[in-house]
Amino acid sequence: MQTKTNREQLYAPYDWYRQMRETQPVYHDPDWGAWHVFRYADVARVLSEYVTFSSDESRYQPAEYQENSPISSSILRMDPPRHRQLRNLVSQAFTPRMVAQMELRISEITNGLLDQVAAKGEMDAIRDLAYPLPVTVIAELLGIPTEFREDFKRWSDALVSGDEETTEEERQALFQEIGGMFGYFSQVLEERRAHPQNDLVSALLAAEVDGQHLNDLELLGFCGLLLVAGNETTTNLIGNLILCLDENPGVVERLRANRALVPGAVEEALRYYSPIKTMTRYASTATTIGDQHIEAGQVIIPWISSADRDEAEFPDADRFDSEREPNSHLGFGRGIHFCLGAPLARLEVKTALNAMLDRLPGTWQVADVPLEPIRSFIVFGTKNLPLTWGA
Ligand code: HEM
């Protein structure tokens, strides 16, 4: 494995995870007022035991701490029974079969993007491929016409940006952007209600459980969730997979010769550099994790990217093994909240990798320049990824 010095900043969290797994696997952080959980068995339990570990932020957080985005009122932040009802509803529209029908189109979009760069022998893999691919796919799934794609990208950025350094003025500008997005989606809902099409919005309008449809707010929330949940995560999985391949010479050649190995390589990238670092849960009753006592109402932070490097679950966990078997990583979560978009994300990334293997010949090399980590508590990835091929 080759790790270039310019990536030290990007990879720094992994040293912290290892240290915490060994020394303080369940750690109460006074600054955050939360419990951090680092080992695989504990993280898997926190993610999947939904009765003890609630996802419903609104029950445990004061209003001013709640995230003000479509995510906060979405299935991601609900507990049963409402979670089950709504998830069943949206699953009717967002089926693996519908996703499979997208395969040809995903391949066309990917090849269109690679057409722009293939002859140059270089690209920024984030800017030129990993970023535009998922946003275009979701826009098409939702039936958003081409002329709105640029707006759509700006809205999606507005939804995921913002951290502790964002100024009040910037926050107001973001809210305006997000308001614009909901205004636009409301119009789309009206149109599709009057004239249903063969798209996800029309399918969501038609879906019902026990004679109940989604209301307008839930529909808007779900469209917003798809934008947020499906974009940056998939972008980072493509980027992180390219990093894994760059650090492990010879794997690209093996994949090129045997495409049956491609899905396994995608799964291993999900484990090795998980695009989602962590989720949040709230203890609904007093419980214990490891030898620590957790009080009802306390916040729990299960670190997926630490769990996925736990030697107790993955032999030789710090080695990227594209043929690892079994590979029960937690990259898409576990249990009732398991990622609804997993079939779509897997298809997009598999298609992107296959097209790259077809079209970008020779050795791939990520330039030895500083890679700028995305400043986020939740997502792991790099903002830039200069890649060359053909040598
Ligand atoms: C590589 C890409 C992706 C990764 C790593 C990822 C990761 C995750 C994870 C870890 C969860 C579980 C959250 C929890 O337990 O609280 C989740 C849930 C979810 N994801 Fe993804 N996701 C990806 C792509 C997508 C895409 C493409 C979509 C849709 C277009 C999507 C839609 C969702 C939804 C709707 C949920 C909520 C499910 C529920 O609460 O029942 N995701 N995702």
Side-chain angles (χ1 to χ4, degrees):
M1 183 178 112
Q2 297 177 347
T3 305
K4 296 173 183 166
T5 48
N6 282 330
R7 297 178 197 174
E8 270 165 15
Q9 201 198 347
L10 183 67
Y11 298 153
Y14 282 95
D15 291 334
W16 179 61
Y17 302 147
R18 183 185 315 107
Q19 207 188 332
M20 295 307 278
R21 272 195 313 273
E22 285 166 9
T23 58
Q24 289 169 286
V26 183
Y27 163 69
H28 188 258
D29 182 339
D31 295 339
W32 293 37
W35 289 94
H36 297 276
V37 177
F38 295 95
R39 287 186 179 160
Y40 181 93
D42 294 333
V43 172
R45 177 178 158 229
V46 169
L47 289 176
S48 53
E49 265 183 35
Y50 59 86
V51 177
T52 313
F53 303 106
S54 164
S55 292
D56 186 352
E57 180 185 59
S58 68
R59 278 169 55 198
Y60 300 95
Q61 288 285 55
E64 64 267 30
Y65 288 123
Q66 290 177 30
E67 197 185 321
N68 186 11
S69 84
I71 294 251
S72 38
S73 50
S74 75
I75 54 171
L76 193 68
R77 295 285 155 77
M78 278 176 199
D79 290 338
R82 190 68 184 138
H83 172 267
R84 188 165 40 243
Q85 282 168 342
L86 275 193
R87 181 154 170 143
N88 284 347
L89 248 171
V90 296
S91 304
Q92 289 174 24
F94 204 68
T95 57
R97 193 166 141 259
M98 189 197 78
V99 168
Q101 286 169 357
M102 293 284 294
E103 183 159 9
L104 190 62
R105 188 61 198 128
I106 293 173
S107 173
E108 278 170 11
I109 298 167
T110 310
N111 278 301
L113 293 167
L114 291 179
D115 284 346
Q116 315 285 319
V117 294
K120 292 188 197 159
E122 61 177 21
M123 67 171 163
D124 186 295
I126 302 294
R127 183 194 60 207
D128 298 328
L129 177 66
Y131 181 66
L133 174 61
V135 79
T136 311
V137 170
I138 293 192
E140 292 200 0
L141 261 175
L142 290 171
I144 290 170
T146 329
E147 63 264 33
F148 290 116
R149 293 287 154 76
E150 283 306 310
D151 291 331
F152 196 68
K153 219 183 266 182
R154 225 184 39 250
W155 293 332
S156 130
D157 282 351
L159 279 172
V160 292
S161 40
D163 58 21
E164 63 279 4
E165 284 166 34
T166 309
T167 64
E168 189 49 37
E169 212 170 299
E170 287 168 334
R171 273 166 60 85
Q172 290 308 326
L174 288 180
F175 281 135
Q176 264 201 335
E177 292 283 2
I178 293 169
M181 179 185 93
F182 284 117
Y184 172 76
F185 275 135
S186 303
Q187 257 174 296
V188 174
L189 287 178
E190 282 310 302
E191 275 166 32
R192 296 301 192 279
R193 199 168 267 132
H195 308 285
Q197 314 260 321
N198 184 21
D199 61 32
L200 183 61
V201 173
S202 307
L204 283 171
L205 281 164
E208 56 178 289
V209 166
D210 298 336
Q212 264 206 314
H213 290 281
L214 291 172
N215 65 35
D216 275 12
L217 208 63
E218 290 163 342
L219 283 162
L220 289 177
F222 191 67
C223 292
L225 173 65
L226 288 187
L227 251 186
V228 185
N231 263 323
E232 192 155 335
T233 46
T234 312
T235 298
N236 290 326
L237 179 55
I238 296 173
N240 297 350
L241 170 61
I242 293 172
L243 280 175
C244 292
L245 297 177
D246 183 63
E247 287 161 15
N248 292 274
V251 180
V252 168
E253 288 68 25
R254 270 213 306 285
L255 295 173
R256 205 177 260 135
N258 183 0
R259 299 307 174 90
L261 300 178
V262 164
V266 174
E267 294 308 303
E268 180 67 344
L270 273 157
R271 182 190 75 84
Y272 197 82
Y273 289 141
S274 173
I276 297 277
K277 293 194 272 198
T278 181
M279 282 288 139
T280 306
R281 295 292 192 267
Y282 305 88
S284 61
T285 53
T287 184
T288 52
I289 307 178
D291 55 6
Q292 298 290 348
H293 175 76
I294 315 288
E295 284 167 31
Q298 287 191 310
V299 181
I300 326 272
I301 315 280
W303 287 92
I304 291 174
S305 33
S306 169
D308 279 350
R309 294 286 192 98
D310 189 341
E311 284 283 337
E313 177 67 22
F314 302 101
D316 217 353
D318 283 334
R319 192 166 77 86
F320 176 86
D321 174 4
S322 58
E323 293 166 51
R324 184 178 290 275
E325 191 61 52
N327 187 352
S328 47
H329 65 76
L330 300 174
F332 285 127
R334 166 82 44 104
I336 61 167
H337 291 280
F338 183 83
C339 178
L340 197 62
L344 178 62
R346 285 182 166 130
L347 181 62
E348 285 183 56
V349 180
K350 199 179 71 158
T351 307
L353 179 56
N354 269 318
M356 287 176 72
L357 292 167
D358 287 337
R359 311 254 331 251
L360 313 182
T363 306
W364 300 353
Q365 191 127 35
V366 173
D368 198 4
V369 298
L371 296 180
E372 195 185 338
I374 293 171
R375 277 195 345 228
S376 164
F377 163 54
I378 297 171
V379 297
F380 176 83
T382 167
K383 288 189 187 172
N384 58 322
L385 194 55
L387 180 74
T388 58
W389 57 90

